[in-house]
Amino acid sequence: MAPHTIKKRKLTQPELKLSESSESVSSSGDSVREHSQDKGLKKVYQRSAWGRKTSLVNQPSVLHTNGSNNTNMFNIQLDELLTEVKPNYQKRMRKLKSALHKLKSVIENIPPRGPLPLLEAVRELRKTSDTVIPFPEPRPGNDVKYTFSYQRPVDISVVGSYALKTSIKTASPLLIDLAVTMPTTVFQDKDYLNYRYFYKRAYYLACIAAGIRETKDCNFMLSFIYHNDSPLQPTLVISPSSNCAIDDFSNSKCHLKIIMAAEQNLFPITKTLPDQNCVRFSRSSSTAYQSPNSPTPLYNAIVRSECCVASYLKLLNRVSLKAKGFKDACVLGSLWLRQRGLRTGISHGGFGHFELASMMAILIQKDGLQATAVLSTKYSSYQLFKAFLQFLVNRDLFREPFGLPRNVSSLPSSNTPIFFDRSRALNILFKMTASAYELLRHEASVSLRMLSSSTSEQFRRFLISNLDIPTQRFDVLFHISISQSWEPVTRGPDTKNWHLECYKRLYELLTVGLGDRVNVLYLRAAPPTTWPTTKIATTKEINKILVGILVQPENVGRTIDQGPAAEDRGAAAVFRKFWGEKAELRRFRDGSILESLIWAEEKGQDTSVMQQIVTFVIQRHVGVDAANSLKFLANDLDQKVAPKVSSPDSSLNAFHNLFAAYGAFEKNIREMEGLPLQIRQVSAADAHLRYASITPQILGPSHSACKPIDITVQFEGSTRWPENIRAIQRTKAALLLKSGELLKESFSGLTSRLGLENVRQEMHNSCFLDITYREGPAFRVRIHHDRELAVLNHQLNDKNLKTFGREEVAAAVSNYKKLFLYAPSHTQALCTLCTRLLFLSPTIRLMKTWCFSHLLTSQVSEELIELLTIHTFVDPYPWQVPGSVRTGFLRTLSFISQWDWRSEPLIVDMNGQMTTADINATKLRFEAWRKIDPAMDRVVIFAASNLDPDGITWTKQGPSKVVAARLTSLAKAACNVTKEQELTFKANSLFATSFADYDFVIYLRSEVILGRQDKVKPTFKNLEVPRTDPTFVGYDPLSGFLEELESIYGYNIVFFHNTEIIARPAIAGLWTPHTRPREWKVNTTYSTMPVRRSLSEMEGGPLIEINKASVLNEIARLGGDMILRIESRD
């Protein structure tokens, strides 16, 4: 196929730009666009053919990586998405056509100006059209000898992603780039030196703005903005006037941006190579630098980029004709980048649509450098983009630059990755920072791992999910304000972009300071905004920079850093120069003498090790003002976990004494002699022994053990066990009694008490043994007999069993599995996960604190909260595993807020061994439950794991639909708070619950609840009850009171309460729909009263409603002194 040719002065002919055409005009619009676009993509996902309610089983999720064209679910999703995200070019162009022709005609008819000296050129534009020339800093001196002129442009063309038809829809107006190619006659041979090109470029742009303003029938609104956030490249933004004129394009939802271009042969390529120096005078004077040969790669690249517009247009058009999937691959790439917050602008990383499309095009074609193309023209759009991601991951462009230039013997030291386009002598990534490149490769790596995972919900997380949420994305997040006059940034000839140099310097400082604690370190600032053409651009004196860090969990809490050995004087001198007085010489246990840093925690100090290091480095190398401006996100969130999580290990260490006590107990029970059967296994089945209790038990003589820890003991098999379920329960009681006696005889300092449970349910486990240590915890032992399940299943399969009896046996089977199978295995698996995933334990405890703070104790089981949190860690995509309590907590809340529990099951693979067949079987079980119980009266949330495929073990008793909806709404509210307030939100705002939504609230007296009586000392010493009294083990009057309320009023009232959070003990209630006014009938199960109605409303007989005052009085009588007061909304 013949190459695509360029015809001059045709608006319909596309031409390449060096920026993303869909970039926002202002920072405020950027955030709105991202939020709205994310919502729009979700709607696309929901309404498409692949988003309809279909069977969840056998949906293909494995992506094609070879040349096959098999139509699978992912392909259908991809095609539908591409159709939805592309703008309607014909519709928009119809509305734009008149404005574009008008604008083109105006620009072409602007009369020539000059040549004029500087002062005269400035004065003329100011006088005739009140237009200010947007000269970059440093502004040209008044004594410059060269002149300024304006001539008719060589070409005016719509360019960029819009012209290539690779744009994506945005909520804010779409920016369409209009490239104006300046003629060579307005420049001189040496204009590539000392900003002369940029000064004349600015004058040319101002002449265009002045010409548009002077045209009487041209009603456009004009403003300047920096191209790609580069102060050297101002551009002109043209907005519609909304005056309903013929050239008004308000309905197109587009803005136009005039960018400057130069002809490719304007300057010799050899003069703008990365190793050349093109800035040879200082900013403050015309004196030469001491090193006049210092290269200026950034300056040179900007000059060269504006000379390559037409060349890149030819390249992209040629490749799009060869590779049919190229354009759609660019669309996918743009969407993938936008969802991850990466843009062409310097403030957002310097990698956007242009960089992606150009790199992909170069990798597709062959040249003298590469014998074969890296990417094949036969690839589909998805295959092209995935292969491009693999290229990003597999090749580090810092260590192994791509396409080294022929005429450059050695590249200058740079903090920029190098992807050199030899044909055009341009490093395409010249705007990209090291931190952005690090983040880009990280995101590409995570995406590839996610796509290779058969259990991950690939498509939605790959392209639909919005990852540009800093509070959920980064483990450590803080703002820093840096003065524009920071001296290390203002040095050197090639530092015309303050943000690039500031990013570079901060990245170097923080990378050295944090070392191997950091996985990714990313810096971002708000992009520049527009300014009127009648004013000079304002420069911020103080710039606020957002720093996000992804940490290495195993290193983040390290308190001792080892530096070089004392014998290595050179390295030691560098180390001490960087750290100053913080560095000290220490001898370690292995005999080595090393430079070291100590970040010991101080009592009462709330700062983490990471925060201490960042504050010290900024204060020493940037300044005290910058250090004082540091603002870390949610410092008070970790303090919600008791004890405070200062490092990953500190959370697990809080349980050390309890695990030691459990080990001693297990040893004692195994050493017992005299039992008729040997003990086979002792298993923990309690949140305290899986690092998941909100507050670890504190052991000692002054601390009570009111809440016993559940333990299961399994004896060896024997034919002497009875085959009757009731006899089995009595045999268990005998074994427990004997065990208690032998323990008291064999070991001193402990007591044992036999307890009964499920007295009215003979099929259930009926007894337990409480073993209490004098200065230790209390253990509640239950016996696991494996034959018991076989007996129950035999009865359940009895065809002669009546319905009521069958339900009782089924409930007993469910209770058996929960107590003796799933609880121990869940505890063991979670205990293992917590030791491997260091932030899992504190995150679970914080999630429980959040749930209990909102009175969800009785409605949401602890195990369900644990599974929801585990899901965030074992299936973290599209992010990496959380590296802090905050990210784990907020991501879990985000998952809950977006999870549609009505149509989606929760499946948690705790050991990473679930296969696709296992997942499909679990989904089939979920669908069966939804068919059996479509109203979700029995099972609302289906939460399964590899250990519990049933999915209803922890949710059969709740939550109900009302509570599940409440949980979702609370999570959404919390996510909205963190998104809106970002670094300013307070942790307390997420944990403060409102009683306004409840019908009534029962306030309790905390002093009468066991475990809090230490807050109120008795008047007389002889009335003080010893806290170690074994009779109080397991005694919980509040739980007993709640159980009684549930049994009496559970059908008519939904109770909400917390038993763990002591700040404001209360029970809240909602009247169920059953209590609404209804027709009178006999045998009503609750106290009623007639409904007062007028005579006109008396048709149909009398109505009754629940007597709310009477019911609340009964509750007050039952609670007695436990109740402080009852407040009703009625």
Side-chain angles (χ1 to χ4, degrees):
M1 184 178 290
H4 189 74
T5 59
I6 301 177
K7 296 181 180 180
K8 300 296 183 179
R9 304 179 189 244
K10 289 289 184 72
L11 281 172
T12 57
Q13 188 65 34
E15 194 170 310
L16 180 70
K17 75 178 182 77
L18 294 178
S19 73
E20 224 172 345
S21 68
S22 53
E23 289 296 327
S24 171
V25 178
S26 64
S27 58
S28 59
D30 207 38
S31 61
V32 174
R33 179 186 66 248
E34 291 166 9
H35 176 69
S36 302
Q37 181 187 352
D38 187 52
K39 292 174 63 178
L41 289 176
K42 290 179 180 177
K43 291 180 180 178
V44 169
Y45 181 75
Q46 293 169 357
R47 69 170 178 260
S48 60
W50 34 265
R52 291 193 290 264
K53 291 184 178 180
T54 56
S55 174
L56 295 174
V57 186
N58 298 326
Q59 290 186 0
S61 59
V62 180
L63 308 182
H64 61 286
T65 56
N66 49 25
S68 65
N69 294 316
N70 298 330
T71 302
N72 53 30
M73 185 60 65
F74 189 89
N75 289 333
I76 298 173
Q77 293 173 340
L78 206 59
D79 294 340
E80 186 77 15
L81 179 67
L82 288 171
T83 302
E84 292 290 343
V85 300
K86 292 178 182 178
N88 189 329
Y89 293 98
Q90 292 183 352
K91 182 178 179 181
R92 294 195 184 220
M93 189 54 69
R94 283 199 303 268
K95 299 176 181 179
L96 278 171
K97 187 175 181 180
S98 176
L100 286 172
H101 281 291
K102 178 64 173 295
L103 190 62
K104 179 176 182 291
S105 175
V106 169
I107 296 175
E108 288 180 337
N109 290 295
I110 295 175
R113 295 176 185 265
L116 300 172
L118 174 63
L119 294 179
E120 186 176 345
V122 172
R123 188 165 44 250
E124 181 190 45
L125 285 178
R126 189 71 174 181
K127 181 179 180 180
T128 58
S129 61
D130 194 23
T131 301
V132 175
I133 303 175
F135 285 130
E137 295 292 338
R139 297 173 65 84
N142 294 334
D143 57 346
V144 295
K145 303 302 182 183
Y146 48 86
T147 59
F148 298 82
S149 62
Y150 175 85
Q151 300 293 331
R152 179 172 174 161
V154 175
D155 182 52
I156 303 174
S157 299
V158 176
V159 299
S161 59
Y162 193 87
L164 196 62
K165 294 187 178 180
T166 55
S167 295
I168 58 178
K169 292 179 181 178
T170 58
S172 62
L174 188 69
L175 277 180
I176 299 178
D177 290 338
L178 193 65
V180 176
T181 304
M182 298 174 289
T184 57
T185 55
V186 300
F187 297 101
Q188 296 175 330
D189 294 341
K190 297 291 185 179
D191 279 350
Y192 62 86
L193 295 173
N194 299 337
Y195 305 100
R196 286 166 54 175
Y197 167 80
F198 296 106
Y199 296 150
K200 293 186 178 182
R201 174 195 184 280
Y203 176 75
Y204 198 95
L205 181 66
C207 289
I208 294 177
I212 297 174
R213 287 172 60 89
E214 292 171 357
T215 305
K216 294 182 179 180
D217 59 342
C218 196
N219 299 314
F220 300 125
M221 299 176 62
L222 308 180
S223 59
F224 289 130
I225 191 172
Y226 290 131
H227 185 52
N228 299 331
D229 306 337
S230 172
L232 295 180
Q233 297 172 281
T235 57
L236 184 64
V237 176
I238 300 176
S239 306
S241 58
S242 303
N243 60 355
C244 298
I246 190 173
D247 55 357
D248 179 30
F249 56 99
S250 303
N251 294 333
S252 67
K253 298 181 180 179
C254 296
H255 287 176
L256 302 176
K257 185 171 72 170
I258 294 180
I259 63 173
M260 295 290 99
E263 296 188 80
Q264 188 170 4
N265 60 353
L266 177 60
F267 302 123
I269 289 179
T270 56
K271 300 298 184 181
T272 57
L273 289 174
D275 61 345
Q276 298 298 308
N277 176 277
C278 292
V279 181
R280 299 171 185 175
F281 67 89
S282 70
R283 298 184 176 190
S284 57
S285 66
S286 57
T287 59
Y289 281 108
Q290 292 182 356
S291 301
N293 295 324
S294 299
T296 54
L298 174 61
Y299 177 98
N300 301 354
I302 295 176
V303 173
R304 178 50 48 192
S305 68
E306 296 207 343
C307 297
C308 295
V309 174
S311 180
Y312 275 110
L313 172 67
K314 295 177 183 178
L315 170 67
L316 296 181
N317 280 330
R318 182 169 62 249
V319 171
S320 65
L321 294 175
K322 289 182 179 179
K324 299 302 181 183
F326 175 71
K327 287 187 177 181
D328 285 346
C330 292
V331 174
L332 291 178
S334 296
L335 183 59
W336 184 84
L337 290 171
R338 185 168 295 280
Q339 295 300 87
R340 284 153 181 79
L342 292 170
R343 309 282 192 276
T344 295
I346 294 172
S347 300
H348 286 76
F351 190 94
H353 174 272
F354 167 71
E355 288 74 20
L356 180 139
S358 301
M359 290 176 64
M360 200 181 300
I362 292 172
L363 293 175
I364 288 175
Q365 68 174 5
K366 294 187 294 184
D367 58 19
L369 178 66
Q370 44 192 64
T372 59
V374 178
L375 305 179
S376 173
T377 57
K378 297 181 180 180
Y379 282 174
S380 66
S381 59
Y382 165 71
Q383 290 171 328
L384 273 175
F385 181 56
K386 184 177 179 181
F388 178 71
L389 293 181
Q390 291 172 338
F391 172 82
L392 290 177
V393 173
N394 296 332
R395 182 155 182 168
D396 187 348
L397 296 177
F398 275 108
R399 299 179 179 178
E400 190 180 356
F402 181 89
L404 291 177
R406 297 185 181 93
N407 301 326
V408 177
S409 57
S410 61
L411 293 175
S413 59
S414 173
N415 201 40
T416 302
I418 297 176
F419 188 96
F420 200 83
D421 180 4
R422 294 177 58 180
S423 300
R424 296 154 195 87
L426 177 67
N427 176 21
I428 294 176
L429 303 181
F430 69 92
K431 303 187 305 295
M432 197 170 194
T433 62
S435 66
Y437 182 67
E438 195 174 65
L439 180 67
L440 175 68
R441 297 189 70 212
H442 168 79
E443 294 292 355
S445 176
V446 172
S447 294
L448 290 176
R449 292 199 304 269
M450 176 177 61
L451 292 174
S452 64
S453 172
S454 60
T455 60
S456 174
E457 191 178 351
Q458 298 165 336
F459 182 79
R460 180 180 63 83
R461 298 178 179 182
F462 182 47
L463 293 172
I464 303 297
S465 297
N466 180 19
L467 275 66
D468 192 20
I469 307 174
T471 53
Q472 298 178 27
R473 187 178 196 175
F474 297 107
D475 302 319
V476 179
L477 194 65
F478 61 89
H479 270 148
I480 179 174
S481 298
I482 297 182
S483 171
Q484 189 80 19
S485 60
W486 184 29
E487 191 266 342
V489 176
T490 60
R491 284 198 304 244
D494 196 33
T495 56
K496 293 285 62 153
N497 193 292
W498 187 91
H499 282 99
L500 272 180
E501 293 302 317
C502 186
Y503 290 166
K504 175 181 178 181
R505 182 60 177 156
L506 278 180
Y507 179 82
E508 292 173 349
L509 292 174
L510 294 176
T511 300
V512 173
L514 296 172
D516 60 358
R517 291 179 173 86
V518 174
N519 185 24
V520 174
L521 193 153
Y522 180 59
L523 298 96
R524 188 169 76 184
T529 58
T530 60
W531 73 93
T533 57
T534 58
K535 296 182 179 179
I536 299 176
T538 57
T539 303
K540 294 181 180 179
E541 291 298 328
I542 302 296
N543 291 271
K544 184 177 289 186
I545 296 176
L546 178 68
V547 181
I549 300 175
L550 296 177
V551 304
Q552 293 283 5
E554 60 273 13
N555 299 327
V556 68
R558 187 179 64 239
T559 57
I560 300 178
D561 289 337
Q562 295 182 356
E567 295 81 4
D568 190 350
R569 295 187 176 182
V574 173
F575 186 86
R576 285 192 168 271
K577 181 180 180 181
F578 185 87
W579 291 106
E581 70 280 359
K582 191 68 179 178
E584 57 182 77
L585 208 58
R586 283 201 167 208
R587 180 188 296 274
F588 293 89
R589 292 182 179 178
D590 59 357
S592 60
I593 301 176
L594 305 175
E595 296 285 352
S596 59
L597 304 168
I598 309 299
W599 307 102
E601 299 177 10
E602 300 177 3
K603 292 184 178 180
Q605 184 174 332
D606 296 333
T607 56
S608 63
V609 172
M610 289 283 290
Q611 186 171 344
Q612 292 179 53
I613 296 175
V614 169
T615 303
F616 180 86
V617 170
I618 296 299
Q619 182 172 344
R620 175 170 174 79
H621 295 279
V622 182
V624 176
D625 292 339
N628 293 335
S629 71
L630 287 171
K631 185 174 181 57
F632 287 80
L633 171 65
N635 270 348
D636 53 346
L637 199 57
D638 292 348
Q639 299 174 26
K640 290 290 180 180
V641 184
K644 181 175 71 70
V645 181
S646 56
S647 66
D649 296 332
S650 63
S651 179
L652 302 186
N653 292 339
F655 293 86
H656 177 75
N657 292 337
L658 189 59
F659 272 85
Y662 168 68
F665 163 75
E666 183 179 0
K667 181 179 180 182
N668 291 344
I669 203 170
R670 287 185 180 277
E671 291 177 352
M672 285 191 306
E673 296 181 357
L675 287 173
L677 297 173
Q678 294 294 321
I679 292 177
R680 179 193 297 177
Q681 186 175 1
V682 179
S683 302
D686 193 274
H688 285 88
L689 292 179
R690 54 178 181 257
Y691 304 106
S693 59
I694 291 182
T695 305
Q697 285 195 8
I698 302 175
L699 309 182
S702 60
H703 297 280
S704 62
C706 296
K707 188 174 182 180
I709 298 172
D710 292 328
I711 303 293
T712 61
V713 174
Q714 185 177 10
F715 288 89
E716 64 180 352
S718 173
T719 56
R720 291 184 291 175
W721 278 95
E723 294 294 327
N724 181 274
I725 194 67
R726 294 174 179 82
I728 290 175
Q729 301 302 331
R730 285 160 176 76
T731 304
K732 286 184 178 181
L735 283 172
L736 289 174
L737 279 172
K738 185 63 175 177
S739 299
E741 293 174 359
L742 293 174
L743 280 172
K744 288 191 290 185
E745 293 175 1
S746 303
F747 306 99
S748 60
L750 60 83
T751 59
S752 64
R753 293 170 60 88
L754 184 69
L756 301 179
E757 60 183 355
N758 303 319
V759 178
R760 298 179 182 178
Q761 299 168 311
E762 295 182 348
M763 295 290 182
H764 292 62
N765 185 75
S766 62
C767 55
F768 56 83
L769 180 69
D770 283 344
I771 300 174
T772 308
Y773 287 84
R774 184 177 302 167
E775 297 183 2
F779 297 99
R780 177 160 289 180
V781 181
R782 294 181 178 89
I783 294 179
H784 172 207
H785 176 46
D786 51 3
R787 284 288 301 162
E788 185 177 351
L789 181 60
V791 174
L792 289 172
N793 284 330
H794 179 73
Q795 293 188 21
L796 190 62
N797 296 328
D798 186 359
K799 296 182 179 180
N800 298 322
L801 190 63
K802 295 182 179 180
T803 303
F804 178 78
R806 188 178 302 279
E807 290 179 355
E808 184 181 1
V809 176
V813 170
S814 177
N815 185 65
Y816 174 90
K817 290 182 178 180
K818 179 179 179 179
L819 277 179
F820 302 116
L821 298 182
Y822 296 144
S825 60
H826 177 81
T827 299
Q828 182 179 2
L830 180 52
C831 188
T832 302
L833 282 175
C834 287
T835 56
R836 182 167 61 88
L837 304 171
L838 300 179
F839 286 101
L840 176 57
S841 170
T843 304
I844 289 175
R845 294 159 60 199
L846 188 61
M847 273 302 303
K848 289 184 178 181
T849 303
W850 180 81
C851 287
F852 294 161
S853 296
H854 294 290
L855 308 182
L856 299 176
T857 300
S858 62
Q859 305 292 342
V860 182
S861 66
E862 291 193 44
E863 290 80 5
L864 175 58
I865 300 172
E866 292 165 6
L867 286 176
L868 288 168
T869 312
I870 294 170
H871 179 270
T872 302
F873 281 79
V874 299
D875 188 16
Y877 301 119
W879 290 294
Q880 69 168 12
V881 176
S884 69
V885 179
R886 173 182 52 79
T887 50
F889 174 65
L890 294 181
R891 288 181 195 174
T892 304
L893 288 181
S894 177
F895 170 75
I896 296 173
S897 68
Q898 300 175 18
W899 175 37
D900 183 8
W901 39 265
R902 298 170 184 83
S903 59
E904 297 178 11
L906 174 66
I907 303 176
V908 181
D909 186 6
M910 300 179 72
N911 59 8
Q913 297 180 358
M914 289 189 77
T915 63
T916 303
D918 296 332
I919 295 174
N920 289 339
T922 305
K923 291 180 178 179
L924 185 63
R925 193 174 294 109
F926 166 74
E927 290 187 344
W929 266 108
R930 286 296 183 255
K931 291 178 181 179
I932 295 171
D933 182 26
M936 294 181 286
D937 294 326
R938 295 172 60 188
V939 175
V940 175
I941 290 180
F942 187 92
S945 68
N946 59 303
L947 305 175
D948 173 24
D950 293 344
I952 61 172
T953 301
W954 314 115
T955 60
K956 194 172 185 179
Q957 304 301 323
S960 62
K961 287 183 287 187
V962 174
V963 178
R966 172 76 173 171
L967 180 66
T968 302
S969 63
L970 288 171
K972 286 182 179 178
C975 291
N976 290 336
V977 168
T978 58
K979 288 179 183 178
E980 293 171 1
Q981 300 180 7
E982 288 193 350
L983 296 187
T984 61
F985 90 88
K986 301 296 182 183
N988 289 334
S989 63
L990 304 183
F991 294 84
T993 190
S994 172
F995 291 145
D997 296 331
Y998 300 102
D999 292 328
F1000 63 88
V1001 180
I1002 306 171
Y1003 292 94
L1004 307 174
R1005 298 180 186 274
S1006 59
E1007 60 268 20
V1008 301
I1009 301 174
L1010 192 63
R1012 303 176 191 172
Q1013 73 270 32
D1014 57 325
K1015 297 183 179 298
V1016 179
K1017 294 185 178 180
T1019 306
F1020 303 99
K1021 185 71 175 178
N1022 61 335
L1023 296 180
E1024 184 175 357
V1025 179
R1027 297 178 61 83
T1028 55
D1029 189 341
T1031 59
F1032 282 93
V1033 173
Y1035 173 66
D1036 189 354
L1038 177 58
S1039 296
F1041 177 52
L1042 289 164
E1043 289 176 6
E1044 189 169 6
L1045 291 180
E1046 290 283 355
S1047 63
I1048 299 174
Y1049 307 107
Y1051 184 74
N1052 303 315
I1053 303 175
V1054 180
F1055 291 99
F1056 298 83
H1057 68 92
N1058 70 66
T1059 57
E1060 297 285 345
I1061 311 302
I1062 66 174
R1064 188 166 52 162
I1067 302 173
L1070 289 174
W1071 303 104
T1072 63
H1074 306 292
T1075 62
R1076 293 173 181 172
R1078 55 188 300 178
E1079 293 185 2
W1080 179 87
K1081 67 177 183 178
V1082 297
N1083 298 327
T1084 306
T1085 59
Y1086 50 83
S1087 176
T1088 62
M1089 61 184 296
V1091 178
R1092 294 183 179 181
R1093 298 185 297 169
S1094 62
L1095 292 176
S1096 60
E1097 299 173 337
M1098 292 298 291
E1099 298 179 3
L1103 296 180
I1104 60 172
E1105 64 179 353
I1106 191 170
N1107 191 342
K1108 297 179 180 179
S1110 175
V1111 172
L1112 294 179
N1113 288 334
E1114 291 176 3
I1115 292 176
R1117 179 179 57 81
L1118 289 173
D1121 292 338
M1122 187 181 297
I1123 296 178
L1124 181 64
R1125 68 181 186 278
I1126 299 179
E1127 294 182 358
S1128 177
R1129 192 170 60 179
D1130 297 333

